[in-house]
Amino acid sequence: MTISKRQTSMRTHMCGEIGTSDIGQTVTVCGWVAKRREHGDKLAFVDLRDYSGIVQCVIDNAVDVRSEYVVKITGVVRPRPEGTVNVNLSTGEVEIGECVVEVLRSAEPPPFPVDARADDVDENVRLQYRYIDIRRERMQKNLRTRAKVNSAVRTAMESQGFVEVETPMLVPSTPEGAREFLVPSRKEPGSFYALPQSPQLFKQLLMVAGIDRYYQIARCLRDEDLRADRQYEFMQLDAEMSFVNQDDVLAAISTAVIAAAESVTGVKPDPIQQITWREAMERFGVDKPDLRFGMELTELTSIFSSTEFKAFAGAESIKGIRVEGKAEEFGRNKLDALTDRAKKMGAKGLVWLKVATDGTLESPVVKFLSADEQSQLISSLQAKAGDLLLIVADEWSMTCEVLGTLRNDLGRPPVHQGPYRYVWVTEFPLFVGVDKETGQPKPGHHPFCQPHPDDLDKFESDPMSVRSLAYDLVLNGWELGSGSIRIHEPEMQRRVFTALGISEDEANRKFGFFLKPFTYGAPPHGGFAFGLDRLVAILAGEENIREVIAFPKTQSGQDPMTNAPTRAENKQLDELGIRVLPPKV
RNA sequence: GGUCUCGUGGUGAAGUUGGAGUUCACGCCGGCCUGUCAAGCCGGAGGUCGCGGGUUCGAGUCCCGUCGGGACCGCCA
């Protein structure tokens, strides 16, 4: 026996799908009472809700049904009397009359309105009663959007020959990376599994294992502080491919992302453009540029090559942004706040100039700038009367970073506001910064990432300038995910470990179980993973991934509905060989 | 770990230089009502102002601490 998408033995129609074409039919609908309006002994209106929408049922007022009662209503679809059509309701041209009402279950009054008004309710209360919150249109839509994305991604991956393989949730703890959740072993007290931060190790081993193209919609867990775009557990499209170069991986993932976006918006996004990490930093000051607005960083270093102004003289990099028409709006307080922000990020200072109505510059520092410098500044930034100009002179990375942050602060629209601008950022540096303790370079992505073939000659002489075959996918300034071509040759891996200051002993100790399989014939391979929660949130028009997760945790990592995490029973702890320390005072 | 911010009947808010748990809307309970639709009218119930101290004749309001929510920084190879 098969069952239809909607019809069951208890109902013939969905509430929100009843329309004029059903007029005259006897229908049975099931759902929750959204609203009851009483009009004397014999007449009452009941708005019945299921996930598809709301339909008005005309009932005998003697029937006692109240908010959120679960009922089954059988009646005849009929057009509404003239003048009583409700244009705000998809079913507003019809109603169900001659109703027989069966109460399947009574209900307590809900703690908050089960409609858009609950958008203003304290999120903690919504989470405490999440099963009611999810009855609302917004949550129904978001969770169904999520399902559409998952489905589109699966279809796209499978159509490209990827094989879904499930990897374990109980894995060994790995020394690098994010803090892990640990799971105690009962059979071996004192030993622990970790919950996976990602299936990284396993998917690369699947390449050694000849799976060729692997994907998984994988749950990943990281015990790091939560944010609007971060939860302890989150879902990724995780993929890995053999015998590929970077373009192959980008093409495969682009196909999946574009399919996901199209499944939700109905519009197929343009091919995803690419920029290098260097260019992203030069133009936008961040490695996850938001391409929806301009205000790009303008290169000014050469203008001030022989300047008298001490703050600019000898600076490695001088850049500026033009904040269009904001000169008047930014008084002393706001400018001081911007300067503070820049200094907190480590900049020596922030220079601001305003363009007056006569086109001249106004600023405390203008007297230090030559007429030539001033005019070049105005022309380079294409400054016009009423503009505010912000300039930073510092080391290249600091200059970019500070202005990039100010650009986002001053110009960035909410993340979900269209248009959707996807971009691949490629050629990330292989090493980023230096470990404070060891003085050795730190991996930009992870230590198994393939260096850029054009930079191999600089590997030992100038490691910090070596690019990698690592890439990020960015949407509207949100990092969706990242990936790389991996190292598959032990010689190259040794060079990278050496540059990182990891000895052969240490490498074998930390990564042995991972490195050994590579000696048995590892194909060239690369992969990618991107966060589905973030993609769904943006496509659903939400600013917070909690809105697209059925049962999320609060910022402190708790679930107000289940009260997790809870204290373990002594009996359980005994069995696991665990003793809990008294709370720190 | 840090910065900022919020906490007042079930929900959302207002609450003035510190002066009685005061107010508004929704919801809830009861009554009226035959065309409403986030119905309308009448009546009613419902709060340890997150919690604990302090200042004061007097604290929702001021101070200190604490708990909880949120945003951000650190962190997230």
Side-chain angles (χ1 to χ4, degrees), chain A residues 292-308:
Chain A
R292 290 174 298 167
F293 67 107
M295 217 192 282
E296 290 189 25
L297 280 55
T298 303
E299 179 58 45
L300 304 169
T301 315
S302 61
I303 297 176
F304 299 102
S305 55
S306 55
T307 186
E308 301 283 309

Side-chain angles (χ1 to χ4, degrees), chain A residues 277-278 427-431 441 451-468 492 495-496 498-499:
Chain A
W277 176 83
R278 180 86 198 179
E427 297 182 10
F428 271 74
L430 188 64
F431 304 113
H452 198 289
D454 296 347
D455 292 351
L456 289 178
D457 54 331
K458 295 188 287 185
F459 203 92
E460 278 73 27
S461 58
D462 185 11
M464 299 311 288
S465 76
V466 175
R467 292 167 295 167
S468 70
M492 179 60 74
R495 274 178 90 179
V496 171
T498 304

